[in-house]
Amino acid sequence: MRNIALFLTYVGTAYHGWQVQKNEVTVAETLEQAAAAVVGHPVKFTGCGRTDAGVHARRYVANFFTSSTIPVDRLPYALNTHLPEDIVVTGAQEVPESFNAIGSCVRKEYTYLIYNSRIRDPFYVNRAWFYPRHLDEGIMQQAASQFVGTHDFAAVRSLGTPVRSTVRTVYYYEVEREGDLIRLRVCANGFLYNMARAMAGTVVYAAEGKIAPDAIGALLKSGNRTAAGPTVPPGGLYLTRLWYDDGKVSFHVE
């Protein structure tokens, strides 16, 4: 059996997230059906994370085991003929048996897009959060910087899949404006359920004057979810970069 890592990009609007579910169409289910048609046997994918309903992935990694002898460089072409237009396999690589798309991932970057204009742009519907009141990116950066470091992030997560610890390390959180588009780029060794979206909501809270930028450290220590900002809409969130290193295979996907 070969262990194959696939590199994907997808628009998540039509899907109820990555994870296979009984009564909803998901990215993993769609990919597994396509892969089974190509390799001739049932396939189970392990994804690098559970992106929520409506969330997108500029970069995504998933691995599966197969007895197929199809050359790895031909797999993307074969799979894409069985996939809808909003999911694309951009590459494939044979990896050691021990490689696991989520377990071997050491860092992830999410980017949240805000379309900050008085007039909405139809091309950003379900691609960015339309926010009509002006946001000061300088204040947003002050707030975002407070998240950097190792902290307990219970105050910026939603209850979902149980986890052993809510402590994570954020390596950077950068706010960039290009015209009316604001990008929030955050990199961490792991993300809790809705953590990236709740962090974005808290940064916007600071720009709205609802919380002082330098109060975020105290907010994290309190663990009080109701004191943080809202969980912003999923359509603005993208998984954008991934780092892998399991001792046998090391690569960076961007």
Side-chain angles (χ1 to χ4, degrees), residues 149-155 157 163-170 188-192 195 220:
T150 301
H151 309 285
D152 186 331
F153 285 93
R157 70 146 180 171
V163 293
R164 284 183 240 175
S165 171
T166 51
V167 174
R168 298 289 187 273
T169 298
V170 170
N189 62 354
F191 288 84
L192 303 166
M195 176 175 154
L220 292 176

Side-chain angles (χ1 to χ4, degrees), residues 10 16-21 26 46-53 55-56 60-61 102 108 110 160-162 191-194 197 237 239:
Y10 60 81
H16 204 76
W18 162 264
Q19 200 78 5
V20 172
Q21 298 183 34
T26 67
T46 297
C48 63
R50 293 187 60 169
T51 56
D52 299 327
V55 173
H56 318 294
Y60 196 92
V61 175
I102 190 167
K108 298 176 185 176
Y110 279 96
T161 306
F191 288 84
L192 303 166
Y193 182 49
N194 282 342
R197 289 162 59 195
L237 187 62
L239 182 57

Side-chain angles (χ1 to χ4, degrees), residues 101-159:
I102 190 167
S104 303
C105 187
V106 294
R107 294 188 185 191
K108 298 176 185 176
E109 178 195 84
Y110 279 96
T111 300
Y112 195 83
L113 300 185
I114 302 172
Y115 188 68
N116 187 211
S117 171
R118 293 179 64 186
I119 299 175
R120 72 172 68 247
D121 185 331
F123 290 98
Y124 283 115
V125 173
N126 294 322
R127 303 291 189 276
W129 180 29
F130 171 59
Y131 191 96
R133 296 186 299 278
H134 178 72
L135 293 169
D136 185 325
E137 64 270 23
I139 293 175
M140 295 173 74
Q141 182 63 73
Q142 291 177 41
S145 297
Q146 301 300 306
F147 286 110
V148 176
T150 301
H151 309 285
D152 186 331
F153 285 93
V156 284
R157 70 146 180 171
S158 300
L159 293 178

Side-chain angles (χ1 to χ4, degrees), residues 56-105:
H56 318 294
R58 291 281 188 185
R59 302 291 180 267
Y60 196 92
V61 175
N63 72 290
F64 72 105
F65 288 88
T66 180
S67 56
S68 169
T69 59
I70 296 174
V72 71
D73 62 327
R74 299 303 304 167
L75 278 172
Y77 302 98
L79 288 165
N80 287 333
T81 63
H82 292 270
L83 287 169
E85 292 181 341
D86 50 9
I87 303 174
V88 176
V89 178
T90 60
Q93 177 178 325
E94 190 164 351
V95 289
E97 185 177 342
S98 61
F99 178 86
N100 179 286
I102 190 167
S104 303
C105 187

Side-chain angles (χ1 to χ4, degrees), residues 196-220:
R197 289 162 59 195
M199 291 169 75
T202 304
V203 168
V204 170
Y205 244 29
E208 292 175 333
K210 294 179 179 178
I211 183 174
D214 59 2
I216 287 178
L219 184 154
L220 292 176

